[in-house]
Amino acid sequence: MKRLSRKFPNTRSRRLRLNKTIRDLVSDVSIDKAKLIQPLFVSDLNSRNTDIESMPGQKLYSLNGLLKEIEILLALGIKTVALFPNLSGFTKDIVGSEAINPENFMCKTIQKVKEKFPELIVISDVALDPYTSTGHDGVVIDDYVNNDETLQMLSKMSINLASSGSDILAPSDMMDGRIGYIRSDLESNGHKNTILLSYSSKYSSNFYGPFREAVGSRQKKGISKKTYQMDYRNIIEANMKAETDINEGADILMVKPAMPNADVIRDLALNYSVPIFAYQVSGEYSMLKLGIDKKIFDNNVIDESLITLFRAGSKSVITYFAKWIAKKYD
Ligand code: PBG
């Protein structure tokens, strides 16, 4: 960027802040519904929607409830959803066997969703945590989340999710090599246009707490997710992950959590030629929502939180506030 020497009063920054119309004309970014993705939780047992206590305002949907909610979202202009299951209708095991059953609840759900709403873009999470007895995203062998054994499960799971109609697969497990493994299996199974949205910089974060309650994947004591998710003290590693993921066939990279990692979003957006998305995660949502509910701050804090992510360089944001924003700007 060109840096001129700018002197007062030739330059008065406040001229362009005079009123809203002028501020809108000169702003760098604005909120566009087409850039928001709504995460939705669906239960394999519930026959009606239930509230998620740790995430006020968010629901765990029944299958019918999910279909109704999607209809509402589409009418509001939210055209992309990320689906997460809360599963308890089967016995979870150490390898997460149910994840690779081509007729499991998620595969059937995605089929129903896409049948009813073919224009909806469905993002499916690829990770074993809803299926394993340990709550880990991979297969535990000898007290370690085994990388290479997990890849085979993730790849089979991906083929099933793609065959069921998912438009975008989002591996969130953080195993090494998974993007390449999944990409090559997708190609050889005819899924050439399935988009891989890699959770590339997925930090091992305390902000995921409310989500784990929502999907019932809170881990027992023992192995830490820190052995596979990224250390939040690192940013050079975020660049390394971006390089490996792009080389292995990722179309889009995700940074998560979003607000604490705006520097990472910026770095990746400037350094790499693929779109960068941000995930404003459950803890970020609950923190803002509880503050608003307690009248500690105004709900404009939601707009601000999203705008700053776009300004940092996110092309789209996954946010639990997507529906709320869509209503506000309807
Ligand atoms: C698990 C997964 C997690 C989230 C998305 N996918 C949690 C975890 O890694 O434990 C977190 C999302 C959120 O907190 O909103 N594969």
Side-chain angles (χ1 to χ4, degrees):
M1 199 183 292
K2 224 183 179 103
R3 311 261 177 213
L4 304 169
S5 77
R6 303 192 54 164
K7 288 194 187 125
F8 176 83
N10 294 0
T11 297
R12 281 186 191 269
S13 306
R14 295 184 58 192
R15 281 187 204 119
L16 298 181
R17 297 179 192 147
L18 210 53
N19 61 48
K20 184 168 182 310
T21 306
I22 294 172
R23 289 194 297 272
D24 285 349
L25 284 173
V26 302
S27 71
D28 286 344
V29 287
S30 43
I31 290 194
D32 176 356
K33 283 187 226 183
K35 300 287 196 182
L36 299 178
I37 300 163
Q38 177 75 48
L40 295 171
F41 299 107
V42 57
S43 156
D44 65 341
L45 282 190
N46 281 11
S47 54
R48 54 178 64 189
N49 303 338
T50 53
D51 292 332
I52 298 170
E53 217 174 294
S54 58
M55 300 178 72
Q58 298 297 309
K59 289 197 182 329
L60 175 57
Y61 293 100
S62 64
L63 181 53
N64 275 335
L66 179 78
L67 295 170
K68 280 191 194 129
E69 183 65 8
I70 290 173
E71 194 165 355
I72 296 169
L73 288 170
L74 283 170
L76 285 167
I78 300 293
K79 297 175 182 163
T80 308
V81 298
L83 301 180
F84 296 99
N86 179 321
L87 303 173
S88 38
F90 60 92
T91 311
K92 302 187 181 188
D93 60 23
I94 198 88
V95 296
S97 316
E98 182 66 9
I100 60 169
N101 170 4
E103 285 174 15
N104 69 20
F105 173 74
M106 264 333 261
C107 291
K108 286 197 208 144
T109 299
I110 294 159
Q111 282 163 23
K112 287 200 180 107
V113 165
K114 286 295 287 191
E115 212 170 278
K116 194 151 191 233
F117 309 105
E119 74 281 25
L120 178 82
I121 297 299
V122 172
I123 303 180
S124 298
D125 204 64
V126 179
L128 298 180
D129 54 317
Y131 301 94
T132 53
S133 48
T134 57
H136 278 291
D137 294 32
V139 179
V140 175
I141 302 174
D142 295 335
D143 285 332
Y144 184 68
V145 176
N146 187 294
N147 196 85
D148 300 13
E149 292 295 326
T150 302
L151 294 183
Q152 302 184 27
M153 297 293 288
L154 294 174
S155 172
K156 286 186 190 144
M157 180 182 181
S158 296
I159 300 297
N160 292 345
L161 292 170
S163 304
S164 305
S166 310
D167 302 274
I168 302 181
L169 299 181
S172 70
D173 54 286
M174 293 302 276
M175 297 301 118
D176 286 318
R178 91 266 210 219
I179 298 297
Y181 215 92
I182 294 171
R183 173 59 78 208
S184 119
D185 279 2
L186 285 171
E187 283 287 328
S188 54
N189 281 275
H191 297 293
K192 300 193 189 292
N193 279 330
T194 301
I195 296 166
L196 283 180
L197 163 56
S198 175
Y199 282 78
S200 187
S201 287
K202 175 170 179 175
Y203 288 99
S204 177
S205 173
N206 299 293
F207 286 101
Y208 305 149
F211 173 99
R212 291 178 188 162
E213 187 201 302
V215 303
S217 73
R218 206 174 280 285
Q219 294 103 64
K220 341 266 171 286
K221 282 209 166 60
I223 310 165
S224 164
K225 286 204 172 193
K226 285 184 189 295
T227 63
Y228 47 102
Q229 298 178 347
M230 198 163 21
D231 188 325
Y232 52 72
R233 292 171 296 188
N234 299 344
I235 187 166
I236 294 170
E237 193 182 1
N239 285 268
M240 188 269 277
K241 286 305 299 174
E243 284 156 18
T244 53
D245 283 355
I246 294 169
N247 276 328
E248 289 178 29
D251 302 289
I252 305 170
L253 303 182
M254 179 103 83
V255 175
K256 167 186 179 188
M259 287 150 56
N261 301 309
D263 56 336
V264 179
I265 298 169
R266 182 89 184 141
D267 229 22
L268 299 188
L270 292 176
N271 289 340
Y272 301 97
S273 53
V274 297
I276 308 301
F277 284 10
Y279 192 151
Q280 186 181 52
V281 301
S282 56
E284 299 177 80
Y285 168 83
S286 296
M287 177 170 72
L288 295 175
K289 183 70 168 73
L290 289 168
I292 294 162
D293 289 351
K294 285 201 178 298
K295 303 200 182 335
I296 293 168
F297 35 64
D298 190 81
N299 62 26
N300 287 317
V301 75
I302 298 171
D303 307 56
E304 181 180 342
S305 72
L306 295 170
I307 285 278
T308 55
L309 299 175
F310 289 114
R311 196 193 64 212
S314 320
K315 293 282 194 258
S316 284
V317 177
I318 302 188
T319 171
Y320 299 93
F321 289 117
K323 182 183 184 184
W324 186 89
I325 290 276
K327 273 191 186 158
K328 179 168 175 180
Y329 291 92
D330 207 16

